[in-house]
Amino acid sequence: MDLPPVGLGTMGIDDPDPVATALSVGYRHLDTARIYGNEGVVGEGLAAGLADGDLDREDVTVATKLWIDDLAADEVGPAARESADRLGVEALDLLYVHRPRGDYDPEATLPALDRLVDEGLVRNVGVSNFEPDQLDRALDVLDAPLAAHQTELHPLFYRPELLEHAREHGYDVVAYSPLAGGRVREVDAVRSVAAAHDATPEAVAIAWATAKEPVAAIPKASSERHLHANLAAADLDLAPDEVAAIDAVEREEELFPE
C-alpha cells in the first residue's frame, strides 16, 4: 500500500465534522474499527468530504477492523459488509483483524478474508496487535499480501523487532496512539528535541515515528489546529542522534495491553 505518513485515528470521535475537516486539510487515510462504534460517523464525514467534488473516493484509504467476535469464518463476510454499509463505501480499502483473540483462527479467519478480496469487498488485508510468530502464521496462510500491521507505537512503547519483521516481509506498520495519550509531553528526551526545533512534543513524537520505515502514524485529532499540526509533523526533520535519544527512552507505558 501507499499510505501517507500521517492518517487520522478516529477512536472516540463521535462527530463527522472532524473527519470532513481532516479530508479538507489533506488527510487521505481514515482509520476506524467496529468496536469504536463510529463507522457511521466516519462514513458521514467521508461523504461530506467528498461532496464538494475536489476529492475522489479513490484518493482516500478507508480502514476498519473486525473485532474478536467477528472472526469466525462465517462471521467475517457479514461483519465486513456491515462495516462497508456503515462507512458508505462499496469496498473497504484496508480491513484488519483487530486482535488475534476470541474467534480468531488463522486457518479459518484468514481464508475468509481472502475470499472477500477475491469478491472485491476488501482491497487489502491487515492485522493488528500481533506478535512476530502470529505474523509469520498470517503470512503463511494468507493468499493476499499482508498489507499492514497496526500496533501501538510511541516514545514510551516501541518494539523494534516488529518494524524489522515488517521490513523483512514488505508490509507497512501503522502506529496507533503515537502521542501516548498525551504522555509524550512528560518524556524528557522528547521535550529536549522539541525545544531544539521550536516544536511541540506531539510533533516530535509523530516525526520520530514516521522517520522509521515503514511506519505511518494515525494520531487522533478533532480541532482543525491539531489536525494541521499532526499532518505537518511528518515534515519535521530529526537528526539521527535525536531519533537515537528517543529510541533510548526506557519504555514502560503500553496503553492497550492484551
Side-chain angles (χ1 to χ4, degrees):
M1 297 189 71
D2 186 20
L3 292 174
V6 177
L8 179 66
T10 66
M11 186 173 71
I13 291 179
D14 58 5
D15 181 344
D17 287 347
V19 178
T21 300
L23 294 173
S24 73
V25 303
Y27 284 77
R28 297 296 180 263
H29 175 194
L30 306 176
D31 181 89
T32 184
R34 287 171 63 81
I35 196 67
Y36 299 169
N38 68 352
E39 288 175 320
V41 168
V42 173
E44 290 179 42
L46 173 64
L50 298 176
D52 62 11
D54 291 336
L55 183 64
D56 293 331
R57 165 68 184 92
E58 292 73 21
D59 296 329
V60 183
T61 297
V62 178
T64 192
K65 311 176 197 73
L66 297 172
W67 188 237
I68 62 175
D69 55 3
D70 301 321
L71 299 176
D74 60 351
E75 294 293 335
V76 167
R81 291 182 185 90
E82 289 174 1
S83 289
D85 288 345
R86 281 194 287 263
L87 287 160
V89 297
E90 293 185 0
L92 300 167
D93 299 301
L94 178 55
L95 181 62
Y96 294 95
V97 172
H98 202 146
R99 286 188 181 274
R101 290 172 37 206
D103 293 330
Y104 178 69
D105 174 0
E107 280 71 24
T109 305
L110 300 177
L113 287 167
D114 277 326
R115 288 192 289 273
L116 296 182
V117 173
D118 293 341
E119 294 169 14
L121 181 65
V122 172
R123 292 178 175 142
N124 295 278
V125 174
V127 297
S128 182
N129 301 296
F130 274 43
E131 293 295 324
D133 62 324
Q134 295 166 328
L135 289 163
D136 287 336
R137 189 63 189 141
L139 288 163
D140 287 342
V141 174
L142 277 170
D143 287 333
L146 180 63
H149 178 214
Q150 189 169 140
T151 184
E152 183 175 341
L153 192 159
H154 49 74
L156 289 170
F157 189 74
Y158 164 50
R159 295 181 60 191
E161 69 273 19
L162 294 179
L163 273 65
E164 185 55 40
H165 193 279
R167 295 184 191 109
E168 180 181 350
H169 294 282
Y171 59 84
D172 289 334
V173 172
V174 176
Y176 72 78
S177 298
L179 306 182
R183 295 189 181 102
V184 292
R185 285 190 163 271
E186 304 166 8
V187 181
D188 288 343
V190 174
R191 293 170 61 183
S192 176
V193 173
H197 287 268
D198 193 23
T200 65
E202 290 83 359
V204 168
I206 292 170
W208 168 79
T210 57
K212 299 181 177 302
E213 294 291 341
V215 174
I218 50 167
K220 173 192 168 185
S222 296
S223 72
E224 185 169 352
R225 180 170 67 88
H226 288 151
L227 286 165
H228 275 291
N230 290 348
L231 196 62
D235 295 328
L236 181 61
D237 189 16
L238 303 186
D241 64 319
E242 294 173 325
V243 173
I246 299 173
D247 286 350
V249 170
E250 292 186 9
R251 290 170 171 81
E252 301 291 343
E253 297 289 338
E254 183 180 7
L255 302 182
F256 299 99
E258 282 290 331

